[in-house]
Amino acid sequence: TRVEYYLLGLFYGVLLSMLLYTLLTYFSVRDVSYLYYIAYIAACSLFQLTINGLSYEFFWPQMPELNNRMLPLSITVATLTLILLTRSFLQTRTLMPRIDRLLSLMRWLYLILALACLFIPYNWAIRLSTASVVISPLVVLAIALWVFMAGSRQSRFFLLAFTALLVGMVLYALKAFHLLPGNALTEYALQIGSALQMILLVFALAD
């Protein structure tokens, strides 16, 4: 409907604004965390465009097989860039070397999975990529909470960002399982949580 297109346009406008702002900021500060964040926004945007059907409608309408591949691929690349951003921003290599080894292992697993999504059967690709998008935010949230409890001031917005995302994911899941009624909040909970996450991550990087 027209209202849905307006809401999605607002959502993608927020993502595009965050991407451009972060790109311009990177040219000033030259911090690699900003590049990881830009890659994360791009991957999340591709995922949202694919799941909303807009990428197929506007970018590759004659290529249904590519569209099928883009869903698990965009999910996996989003989780990969999320891990890279977490390692860089929270400085886990220095502050939490044992945890950093776990994140490094996840990085390589997601890189392999992203490549595999181009070739393995769709059923396996979507199952594995969905598992990655469930596990990764929980791991990142736990690490951010740990760092925050250890007294790191800069992790507060990072922690809030992933709390907002998880709240959105939970609301959307509860609606999908008919445990919450379908309304504007639950229908677009994932997009709302993602948008809040993107905005709070900008504050985290600037903090």
Side-chain angles (χ1 to χ4, degrees):
T1 65
R2 181 173 296 182
V3 173
E4 289 176 333
Y5 272 105
Y6 284 149
L7 291 174
L8 289 174
L10 178 62
F11 171 69
Y12 291 119
V14 169
L15 295 190
L16 181 60
S17 299
M18 296 298 101
L19 192 151
L20 292 175
Y21 171 79
T22 307
L23 182 61
L24 291 173
T25 306
Y26 168 74
F27 289 132
S28 300
V29 299
R30 300 291 178 176
D31 185 340
V32 71
S33 294
Y34 285 84
L35 285 182
Y36 292 143
Y37 180 54
I38 291 167
Y40 178 63
I41 295 176
C44 288
S45 299
L46 179 58
F47 163 69
Q48 293 287 351
L49 286 166
T50 303
I51 203 170
N52 293 143
L54 296 177
S55 60
Y56 183 65
E57 182 178 353
F58 292 108
F59 298 146
W60 40 76
Q62 306 301 323
M63 306 173 70
E65 177 61 25
L66 175 62
N67 191 66
N68 286 339
R69 293 290 176 181
M70 278 299 146
L71 184 57
L73 179 62
S74 61
I75 293 173
T76 308
V77 172
T79 54
L80 171 61
T81 52
L82 170 59
I83 295 301
L84 294 173
L85 174 61
T86 302
R87 292 184 74 211
S88 175
F89 182 79
L90 296 180
Q91 302 174 26
T92 56
R93 183 180 298 179
T94 302
L95 301 177
M96 311 167 70
R98 291 184 180 179
I99 296 298
D100 185 71
R101 285 195 287 272
L102 170 63
L103 293 178
S104 181
L105 175 61
M106 293 175 71
R107 172 191 60 178
W108 288 112
L109 288 174
Y110 291 157
L111 178 60
I112 293 168
L113 177 57
L115 296 173
C117 283
L118 298 172
F119 307 103
I120 64 176
Y122 177 80
N123 299 353
W124 282 101
I126 197 65
R127 288 173 184 171
L128 292 171
S129 61
T130 301
S132 76
V133 83
V134 171
I135 294 169
S136 297
L138 293 174
V139 171
V140 170
L141 181 66
I143 295 171
L145 181 60
W146 191 345
V147 173
F148 177 74
M149 295 297 290
S152 173
R153 179 178 172 272
Q154 72 177 45
S155 66
R156 56 181 178 168
F157 284 116
F158 198 88
L159 179 61
L160 284 173
F162 285 93
T163 301
L165 176 64
L166 285 175
V167 169
M169 291 173 66
V170 169
L171 288 175
Y172 186 80
L174 291 175
K175 188 271 301 183
F177 286 105
H178 306 290
L179 297 175
L180 283 178
N183 53 46
L185 176 61
T186 56
E187 188 68 33
Y188 294 100
L190 192 57
Q191 284 87 351
I192 294 170
S194 296
L196 288 173
Q197 181 206 31
M198 298 299 176
I199 294 169
L200 287 167
L201 282 176
V202 168
F203 282 107
L205 288 168
D207 192 19

